[in-house]
Amino acid sequence: MHLIEKAEEDNRTFITEFILLGFGNLPELQILLFLVFLVTMSGNILIIVLVVADQHLHTPMYYFLGNLSCLETCYTSTILPRMLASLLTGDRTISVSGCFAQFYCFCSLAATECYLLAAMSYDRYLAICKPLRYAALMNGRLFLQLTAGSWMSGFLLCVIMMCFMSQLTFCGPNEIDHFFCDFSPMLKLSCSDSSMITLVCFILAFLDLPCPFLLTVTSYVCIIATILRIPSTTGRQKAFSTCSSHLIVVTLFYGTIMIVYMIPKSSNLRALNKVFSVFYTVLTPMLNPLIYSLRNKEVKAALRKVIS
């Protein structure tokens, strides 16, 4: 029996490329996606330039914002150019190794964003709850530790996942019903035992998502409690305005990512899953620079200075 199974395994034809089905043949998406890509890239690069160029923005809060914009520039570059290329040329194929590379970059950057948003919420917690000690606590050393830790944690966690995923073999259908290489659609096409990789990814996902999420929630519970204790209405509004932009970004990111990975993976909800995936992979990186620039007086002042 074992010999028969081995012979069947040897006779399998292993596929070398996948087909990303995306959203089907929708040529009208080309112009829309190109505009989204252009706005996202230019918006995030502009934020980075403003943070570097303007002396008034040389504070931990804006350095974190520059890191977030840098991350989302990379994030968008991982997914959108490949989508645009497939729409322009009609070639939806991607090599297995290319699919793994795209998934690793996407997964690492998404994990890094979780940690970076948590670090930014901790920065706002210190600024509002401990204003007199903020300058001493959030010094250059702590800022570097938080940012470096965020980037390293995201990329190292995904290295462990990729070590297990690289052992998967693909020998059946090669059509991925998604617009990028995500974990579940790839795992569904594997013809090898995926129980171990599923367990490992569950453990890593538990370390990656709930820990920074809980830190973010805890920071904002303390922030809101402190703001409510401020006697004057003007003082409460001023304190809340310093963290409202970040709170909107956190809500958008975690709200969409939880919907995508928590709704049942039934055939009826697959299209809805793809739509929500667009929110956190494409629209959120585009909206973040707009949220921070439109709701922040210092960023708007720096922008006017650069334009003038």
Side-chain angles (χ1 to χ4, degrees), residues 20-31:
L20 292 169
L21 297 180
F23 293 98
N25 294 313
L26 293 173
E28 59 269 19
L29 271 179
Q30 291 178 23
I31 297 170

Side-chain angles (χ1 to χ4, degrees), residues 14 46 66 90 100 170 192 197 208 226 231 234 243 266 268 289:
F14 296 106
L46 180 61
F100 275 119
F170 303 91
S192 54
I197 178 65
D208 175 45
T226 303
T234 309
C243 62
S266 64
N268 296 330

Side-chain angles (χ1 to χ4, degrees), residues 182 184-185 188 257-270 273:
D182 202 1
S184 296
K188 199 178 289 183
I257 209 169
M258 283 178 177
I259 289 170
V260 167
Y261 292 105
M262 286 183 179
I263 60 172
K265 302 295 185 287
S266 64
S267 56
N268 296 330
L269 294 172
R270 200 169 292 154
N273 193 298

